Amino acid sequence: MRILIAEDDAVLVDGLSRSLRASGYAVDCVTSGRDADLALSTQSFDLLILDLGLPHMGGLEVLRRLRARENALPVMILTAADSVEQRVRGLDLGADDYLAKPFALSELEARVRALVRRSMGSGSSMIRCGSLCYDQVGRAATLNDHPVELSARELGLLEILLQRMGRLVSKDQIVEHLCEWGEEISANAIEVYMHRLRKKLDGGDVRIATVRGLGYCLERPPEQST
Ligand code: CA
């Protein structure tokens, strides 16, 4: 799960990114609207946290351009407490949620989880795949009702596969959603994480298929097929 933070307040960026990283998200940060626009038009994220008061292109313009590209990325806008008008304009331009500054990090995280959940089309925080259950709020998995111990990478990998259950996920997509800028992760490393994840899911009815040369697919158990 990869989040882009567009915010020019260094203290806030520091707090936000630390807290989101501690929760296992990959986090990239930009401090101007121009950089946000560039990142959003060239790369793929799972969520955007967007300050409206950004230098070199305001947040509303970043949002307008994003939606004009027909990009449905979930967007949470950050606004000053007294700017009802900006908030309304942001929501009208296609923001999914907003937080007025100052806010508690715990509230931001709860809203991030809710947005991600909604964008996956599931109102519930539990994703089920056969005997595998994944709690998106607690970020914990169980297999046959027993907890599965997963590293941060394995957890990230499992989330990517679960969000695209039944569909092919390429290694490039995995790298894109698992890594922050400046982080290097090789195709070999992905294979190693995948190998470990498979081993941990051994004993259930969940299968991660390898599509040679293309990627991976978490197969839906037969009774869940749509
Ligand atoms: Ca600002």
Side-chain angles (χ1 to χ4, degrees):
M1 191 72 55
R2 189 172 171 208
I3 298 178
L4 180 68
I5 300 176
E7 166 64 73
D8 59 329
D9 176 336
V11 176
L12 186 53
V13 168
D14 188 55
L16 274 179
S17 52
R18 268 172 208 263
S19 134
L20 290 168
R21 282 192 183 115
S23 298
Y25 297 102
V27 181
D28 293 310
C29 307
V30 288
T31 53
S32 81
R34 206 171 41 207
D35 289 349
D37 187 56
L38 181 65
L40 291 164
S41 41
T42 51
Q43 297 185 48
S44 164
F45 298 90
D46 299 291
L47 180 84
L48 168 65
I49 297 175
L50 178 66
D51 176 35
L52 292 188
L54 287 173
H56 313 301
M57 190 186 301
L60 287 173
E61 178 60 13
V62 173
L63 180 60
R64 194 194 61 74
R65 287 173 177 237
L66 178 78
R67 294 305 187 224
R69 289 191 296 272
E70 296 185 359
N71 187 328
L73 177 72
V75 178
M76 169 143 58
I77 50 177
L78 304 179
T79 68
D82 52 357
S83 63
V84 176
E85 192 195 328
Q86 283 224 317
R87 206 177 301 164
V88 170
R89 280 185 60 204
L91 292 169
D92 282 346
L93 277 173
D96 300 275
D97 198 2
Y98 72 88
L99 263 179
K101 295 178 188 177
F103 50 82
L105 283 178
S106 56
E107 181 176 7
L108 177 114
E109 289 219 16
R111 285 169 183 258
V112 163
R113 288 192 296 265
L115 277 183
V116 168
R117 213 155 61 214
R118 257 187 274 156
S119 71
M120 284 188 237
S122 107
S124 149
S125 67
M126 298 296 289
I127 307 182
R128 216 173 62 82
C129 178
S131 51
L132 174 71
C133 270
Y134 185 69
D135 173 5
Q136 297 182 75
V137 173
R139 304 191 81 220
T142 60
L143 190 69
N144 300 317
D145 299 321
H146 295 291
V148 186
E149 294 282 337
L150 296 170
S151 70
R153 284 290 196 214
E154 291 157 4
L155 207 63
L157 197 53
L158 180 62
E159 282 180 340
I160 292 168
L161 291 169
L162 278 169
Q163 284 159 20
R164 298 160 179 81
M165 206 192 301
R167 284 186 281 153
L168 178 74
V169 186
S170 70
K171 279 188 190 166
D172 285 349
Q173 273 177 305
I174 291 173
V175 169
E176 204 162 28
H177 288 269
L178 211 55
C179 296
E180 307 175 358
W181 292 329
E183 246 187 319
E184 290 282 339
I185 183 167
S186 65
N188 282 344
I190 302 242
E191 278 171 27
V192 171
Y193 296 136
M194 195 62 82
H195 176 71
R196 290 192 195 141
L197 182 60
R198 275 197 179 114
K199 270 184 113 165
K200 292 185 178 177
L201 298 181
D202 222 17
D205 54 3
V206 180
R207 195 171 160 263
I208 303 170
T210 302
V211 186
R212 203 157 290 284
L214 291 177
Y216 302 94
C217 175
L218 181 67
E219 295 181 340
R220 284 174 191 276
E223 78 276 14
Q224 251 180 276
S225 297
T226 48

